[in-house]
Amino acid sequence: MMRRIAITGSSGYYGRKLTGHIRQIAPEAKVLGIDVVPPPNTENPDEYLRLDIRSPDVRQAIADFQPDTIVHLAFVVNPIRDTRLMHDINVGGTNNVFEAVRAVRPQRFLMSSSSTAYGAWPDNPIPMEESWPLRAQGKFQYALDKTLLEELILALSKELPDVAVSWTRPAIIGGVGLNNFLTRCVCRLPLLVLPDGKDVPLQFVHESDVVKATWAILENNVRGPFNIAPPDWIPLSEIAKLTNRWSIKAPFWTTQLATTIWWGLRLPVFDFPPSFHDFVRHQWVIAPARLQRELNFKFQYSAKETLLMMWAEDQRLRGK
């Protein structure tokens, strides 16, 4: 039973939803939240500390709290132009949390990774199970950081066999109130481009399924990587149809050039770097093999249902 849970990135979307789930499923548990952003008025932890994830004070705060469970969710997701800073927060901050885990030796430790860690490659199978190798790609900083962090957490799991070390690889998370570059890319572009005519499939996983899967992993003290995505996916052309937009075929170099100009000039519409385009040109679909096989986990929402919820909420917020 989990009684004392420390969550880094507790004010982020994943962290808030996980805290809310803990409130419902295990109200007796005490939650320590660590973030640079104060918690909202709902889904608040029992204790909150405003700390940069890279600060040595994080290690002391976790040691003082003496958690039986540590969940690390503090990452920069939205692309920023200072990739060195992004890397320092994502990798340097995570190494700081690893030091806390080494010192405290909690019963379990979970880190959020990403399905982007597999890389987007033309020879990726559809779908990929957890045993498929991770292959870093290009210059998309978030995916590069996650691929490196998976090497580091695998080493940590071998170093600390007495700790149930696990990590999640969610697909594109969708839900009410979620607003990041991926959701904007899916919902707000006026039309969807098929680079070189390739109709690449994408996956969407509902927020509630992500936190329920995360809790199931922690509750069962399982180890290693877990893909989190429903067992269905949607081609770009079908996404366009479902959201009342057009899809067009265009040479890859034209889409990359347009994004490079927009990103470089800081213009609206494209708020992602050109390095992300490989994830629209090649497949990176995952299978929740271990969740289904080892934990008998069942997803409440399909990728299609999650997409339609994302679209409806975005339209509501924009008054359409």
Coordinates of all heavy atoms in Angstrom, one line a residue, residues 112-144:
S112 N 8.1 9.3 -16.1 CA 7.4 9.3 -17.4 C 8.4 9.5 -18.5 O 9.2 10.5 -18.5 CB 6.4 10.5 -17.4 OG 7.0 11.7 -17.3
S113 N 8.4 8.6 -19.5 CA 9.2 8.8 -20.7 C 8.2 9.2 -21.8 O 7.2 9.9 -21.5 CB 9.9 7.5 -21.0 OG 10.7 7.7 -22.2
S114 N 8.3 8.7 -23.0 CA 7.4 9.1 -24.1 C 7.6 8.1 -25.2 O 8.7 7.5 -25.4 CB 7.8 10.5 -24.6 OG 7.2 10.7 -25.8
S115 N 6.5 7.9 -26.0 CA 6.6 7.0 -27.2 C 7.5 7.6 -28.2 O 8.0 6.9 -29.1 CB 5.2 6.8 -27.7 OG 4.6 8.0 -28.1
T116 N 7.8 8.9 -28.1 CA 8.7 9.5 -29.1 C 10.2 9.0 -28.9 O 11.0 9.1 -29.8 CB 8.8 11.0 -29.0 OG1 9.3 11.4 -27.6 CG2 7.4 11.7 -29.2
A117 N 10.4 8.3 -27.8 CA 11.8 7.7 -27.5 C 12.1 6.6 -28.6 O 13.3 6.4 -28.8 CB 11.9 7.2 -26.1
Y118 N 11.1 6.0 -29.1 CA 11.3 5.0 -30.2 C 11.9 5.6 -31.4 O 12.5 4.9 -32.2 CB 10.1 4.3 -30.5 CG 9.6 3.3 -29.5 CD1 8.5 3.6 -28.7 CD2 10.2 2.1 -29.3 CE1 8.0 2.8 -27.7 CE2 9.7 1.2 -28.3 CZ 8.6 1.5 -27.5 OH 8.2 0.6 -26.6
G119 N 11.7 6.9 -31.6 CA 12.0 7.6 -32.9 C 11.0 7.3 -33.9 O 10.2 6.3 -33.8
A120 N 10.9 8.1 -34.9 CA 10.0 7.9 -36.0 C 10.8 7.5 -37.2 O 11.5 8.2 -37.8 CB 9.2 9.2 -36.4
W121 N 10.6 6.2 -37.6 CA 11.4 5.6 -38.7 C 10.6 4.9 -39.7 O 9.5 4.3 -39.3 CB 12.5 4.7 -38.1 CG 13.5 5.3 -37.2 CD1 13.4 5.4 -35.8 CD2 14.7 6.0 -37.6 NE1 14.5 6.1 -35.3 CE2 15.3 6.4 -36.4 CE3 15.3 6.2 -38.8 CZ2 16.5 7.1 -36.4 CZ3 16.5 6.9 -38.8 CH2 17.1 7.4 -37.6
P122 N 10.9 4.8 -41.0 CA 10.1 4.2 -41.9 C 10.0 2.7 -41.7 O 9.0 2.0 -42.2 CB 10.8 4.5 -43.3 CG 12.2 4.9 -42.9 CD 12.1 5.5 -41.6
D123 N 11.0 2.1 -41.0 CA 10.9 0.6 -40.8 C 10.4 0.2 -39.4 O 10.5 -0.9 -39.0 CB 12.3 0.0 -41.0 CG 13.4 0.6 -40.0 OD1 13.1 1.6 -39.5 OD2 14.4 -0.1 -39.9
N124 N 9.8 1.2 -38.7 CA 9.2 0.9 -37.4 C 8.0 0.0 -37.7 O 7.2 0.3 -38.6 CB 8.7 2.1 -36.7 CG 9.8 2.8 -35.9 OD1 10.8 2.2 -35.7 ND2 9.5 4.0 -35.5
P125 N 7.8 -1.1 -37.0 CA 6.6 -1.9 -37.2 C 5.4 -1.2 -36.6 O 5.5 -0.3 -35.8 CB 6.9 -3.2 -36.4 CG 7.9 -2.8 -35.3 CD 8.7 -1.7 -36.0
I126 N 4.2 -1.5 -37.1 CA 3.0 -0.9 -36.6 C 2.1 -2.1 -36.0 O 1.6 -2.9 -36.7 CB 2.2 -0.2 -37.7 CG1 3.0 0.9 -38.2 CG2 0.8 0.3 -37.1 CD1 2.3 1.7 -39.4
P127 N 2.0 -2.1 -34.6 CA 2.6 -1.3 -33.6 C 3.9 -1.8 -33.1 O 4.3 -3.0 -33.4 CB 1.5 -1.2 -32.6 CG 0.9 -2.6 -32.6 CD 1.0 -3.1 -34.1
M128 N 4.6 -1.0 -32.2 CA 5.8 -1.4 -31.6 C 5.5 -1.9 -30.1 O 4.8 -1.1 -29.4 CB 6.8 -0.3 -31.6 CG 7.3 0.1 -32.9 SD 8.5 1.6 -32.8 CE 7.3 2.9 -32.5
E129 N 6.0 -3.0 -29.7 CA 5.9 -3.4 -28.3 C 7.1 -2.9 -27.6 O 8.1 -2.4 -28.2 CB 5.8 -5.0 -28.2 CG 4.6 -5.5 -28.9 CD 4.3 -7.0 -28.5 OE1 5.2 -7.6 -27.8 OE2 3.3 -7.5 -28.9
E130 N 7.1 -3.1 -26.3 CA 8.2 -2.5 -25.4 C 9.6 -3.1 -25.8 O 10.6 -2.4 -25.5 CB 7.9 -2.8 -24.0 CG 6.7 -1.9 -23.4 CD 5.4 -2.5 -23.6 OE1 5.3 -3.6 -24.3 OE2 4.4 -2.0 -23.1
S131 N 9.6 -4.2 -26.4 CA 10.9 -4.8 -26.7 C 11.6 -4.2 -27.9 O 12.8 -4.5 -28.2 CB 10.7 -6.3 -26.9 OG 9.8 -6.6 -28.0
W132 N 10.8 -3.4 -28.7 CA 11.4 -2.8 -29.9 C 12.5 -1.8 -29.4 O 12.3 -1.0 -28.5 CB 10.3 -2.1 -30.7 CG 10.8 -1.6 -32.0 CD1 11.1 -0.3 -32.4 CD2 11.1 -2.4 -33.2 NE1 11.6 -0.3 -33.7 CE2 11.6 -1.5 -34.2 CE3 11.1 -3.8 -33.5 CZ2 12.0 -2.0 -35.5 CZ3 11.4 -4.2 -34.7 CH2 11.9 -3.3 -35.7
P133 N 13.7 -1.8 -30.1 CA 14.7 -0.9 -29.7 C 14.4 0.6 -29.8 O 13.7 1.0 -30.8 CB 15.9 -1.3 -30.6 CG 15.3 -1.9 -31.8 CD 14.0 -2.6 -31.3
L134 N 14.9 1.4 -28.9 CA 14.8 2.8 -29.0 C 15.9 3.4 -29.9 O 17.1 3.0 -29.7 CB 14.9 3.5 -27.6 CG 14.0 3.0 -26.5 CD1 14.2 3.8 -25.2 CD2 12.6 3.0 -26.9
R135 N 15.5 4.3 -30.8 CA 16.5 4.8 -31.7 C 16.4 6.3 -31.8 O 15.4 6.8 -32.4 CB 16.3 4.2 -33.1 CG 16.5 2.7 -33.2 CD 16.4 2.1 -34.5 NE 15.0 2.1 -35.0 CZ 14.7 1.7 -36.2 NH1 15.6 1.4 -37.1 NH2 13.4 1.7 -36.6
A136 N 17.3 7.0 -31.2 CA 17.3 8.5 -31.2 C 17.3 9.0 -32.6 O 17.9 8.4 -33.5 CB 18.5 9.0 -30.4
Q137 N 16.7 10.1 -32.8 CA 16.6 10.6 -34.2 C 16.7 12.1 -34.3 O 16.1 12.8 -33.5 CB 15.2 10.2 -34.7 CG 14.9 10.6 -36.1 CD 13.5 10.0 -36.5 OE1 12.6 10.0 -35.7 NE2 13.5 9.5 -37.8
G138 N 17.5 12.5 -35.3 CA 17.5 14.0 -35.6 C 17.9 14.9 -34.5 O 18.7 14.6 -33.6
K139 N 17.2 16.0 -34.4 CA 17.5 17.1 -33.5 C 16.3 17.4 -32.6 O 16.3 18.5 -32.0 CB 18.1 18.3 -34.2 CG 19.4 18.1 -34.9 CD 19.9 19.3 -35.6 CE 21.2 19.1 -36.3 NZ 21.7 20.3 -36.9
F140 N 15.3 16.6 -32.6 CA 14.1 16.9 -31.8 C 14.4 16.7 -30.4 O 14.5 15.5 -29.9 CB 12.9 16.1 -32.3 CG 11.6 16.4 -31.6 CD1 11.2 17.7 -31.5 CD2 10.9 15.4 -31.0 CE1 10.0 18.0 -30.8 CE2 9.7 15.7 -30.3 CZ 9.3 17.0 -30.2
Q141 N 14.7 17.7 -29.6 CA 15.3 17.7 -28.3 C 14.5 16.8 -27.3 O 15.1 16.0 -26.6 CB 15.5 19.1 -27.7 CG 16.4 19.1 -26.5 CD 17.8 18.7 -26.9 OE1 18.4 19.1 -27.8 NE2 18.3 17.7 -26.1
Y142 N 13.2 16.9 -27.3 CA 12.4 16.2 -26.3 C 12.6 14.7 -26.5 O 12.9 13.9 -25.5 CB 10.9 16.5 -26.5 CG 10.0 15.8 -25.5 CD1 10.0 16.2 -24.2 CD2 9.2 14.8 -25.9 CE1 9.2 15.5 -23.3 CE2 8.3 14.2 -25.1 CZ 8.3 14.5 -23.7 OH 7.5 13.9 -22.8
A143 N 12.5 14.2 -27.7 CA 12.7 12.8 -28.0 C 14.2 12.3 -27.7 O 14.4 11.2 -27.2 CB 12.4 12.5 -29.4
L144 N 15.1 13.2 -28.0 CA 16.5 12.8 -27.7 C 16.7 12.7 -26.2 O 17.4 11.8 -25.8 CB 17.5 13.9 -28.3 CG 17.6 14.0 -29.8 CD1 18.4 15.2 -30.2 CD2 18.2 12.7 -30.4

